[in-house]
Amino acid sequence: EVQLVESGGGLVKPGGSLRLSCEASGFTFSNAWMTWVRQAPGKGLEWVGRIKSKTAGETLDYATPVKGRFTISRDDSKNTLYLQMNSLITEDTAVYYCTTDIRYGLRYIDYWGQGTLVTVSS
Amino acid sequence: DIQMTQSPSSLSASVGDRVTMTCRASQGIRNDLGWYQQKPGKAPKRLISAASSLQSGVPSRFSGSGSGTEFTLTISSLQPEDFATYYCLQHNSYPQTFGGGTKVEIK
């Protein structure tokens, strides 16, 4: 069974830092391209960024509002995805989801974690 | 960045109604678009990929169409479990971008 479990959320002051983790199981994590998506309270979904697999060069892409402040990384030995968030602002308050697509033959199925809440407030 | 504009932002409909919502891209994205359904307190789930390809297990009352800059998600006969918010996501270029969502409410 595919599982994605986020952790590391919490309350942090503006200007502070936080690192989120997403522990994966049930699939070959090292082959997966992993994505972070966030959702501010009562708002829509926002794509945050993606890291490709090592074989695809571990290429990183970020949304404009987080570029230069957030860093995505992965540890394939631990089947874990990370999101390092620095210089946090109140607008970063959101539930953060990790997600991936897994290929089954010709089909791709998307999997999501349950999300972890980050609150940026003084 | 490519801007995705969804309309309407919300709609009220009854069980059995045909419902249509639109997603417009600020520039051409071929058919590099997915539709997602999200229910309150839950993670999203993709219904359609490549603008019109139904994901496995998704009821056939859902359909998607479009290419380029204009896309449509249609629910042919709305069911009680379909009341949710629907989002489009373009993956033609990075950063990927979601539309603002269409909330489908019970009339």
Side-chain angles (χ1 to χ4, degrees):
Chain A
E1 179 193 6
V2 172
Q3 280 200 311
L4 298 170
V5 180
E6 301 96 336
S7 61
L11 175 63
V12 60
K13 289 181 167 50
S17 298
L18 205 60
R19 188 177 82 157
L20 306 183
S21 300
C22 170
E23 188 168 345
S25 60
F27 63 101
T28 305
F29 179 77
S30 60
N31 291 343
W33 296 16
M34 301 298 298
T35 298
W36 287 99
V37 171
R38 70 183 181 182
Q39 186 168 37
K43 303 296 185 183
L45 301 172
E46 183 179 22
W47 189 90
V48 172
R50 185 232 61 230
I51 184 168
K52 293 184 179 179
S53 63
K54 184 165 287 187
T55 55
E58 278 194 20
T59 306
L60 296 159
D61 285 284
Y62 296 98
T64 300
V66 308
K67 198 176 295 186
R69 300 188 300 120
F70 289 12
T71 302
I72 298 173
S73 62
R74 63 191 299 156
D75 185 338
D76 290 346
S77 68
K78 295 181 179 179
N79 288 349
T80 302
L81 171 73
Y82 301 102
L83 179 64
Q84 177 67 44
M85 303 185 293
N86 298 331
S87 303
L88 284 161
I89 58 179
T90 55
E91 290 81 2
D92 295 322
T93 295
V95 173
Y96 286 74
Y97 296 99
C98 64
T99 177
T100 189
D101 276 342
I102 296 174
R103 182 175 177 176
Y104 296 94
L106 298 178
R107 298 175 178 271
Y108 286 87
I109 296 177
D110 62 319
Y111 291 91
W112 296 68
Q114 83 288 351
T116 187
L117 176 62
V118 173
T119 303
V120 184
S121 175
S122 54
Chain B
D1 299 1
I2 296 175
Q3 307 302 314
M4 304 300 294
T5 303
Q6 282 187 249
S7 61
S9 56
S10 66
L11 63 89
S12 295
S14 301
V15 172
D17 284 353
R18 181 181 180 88
V19 168
T20 298
M21 61 196 76
T22 298
C23 184
R24 288 188 174 86
S26 60
Q27 63 190 71
I29 59 169
R30 303 183 303 184
N31 70 337
D32 298 330
L33 182 117
W35 287 97
Y36 292 75
Q37 178 191 65
Q38 187 182 33
K39 297 182 179 179
K42 301 292 188 182
K45 187 68 180 171
R46 188 166 61 227
L47 302 175
I48 286 172
S49 61
S52 60
S53 179
L54 206 62
Q55 294 287 108
S56 176
V58 174
S60 59
R61 62 182 179 272
F62 290 93
S63 64
S65 64
S67 182
T69 61
E70 187 152 341
F71 302 86
T72 299
L73 174 68
T74 299
I75 309 172
S76 61
S77 178
L78 197 65
Q79 297 302 301
E81 60 269 29
D82 301 337
F83 291 95
T85 302
Y86 295 84
Y87 297 91
C88 59
L89 170 68
Q90 70 80 18
H91 58 91
N92 177 264
S93 65
Y94 288 102
Q96 296 183 13
T97 42
F98 283 96
T102 294
K103 185 174 183 179
V104 177
E105 298 175 301
I106 301 172
K107 183 182 284 184

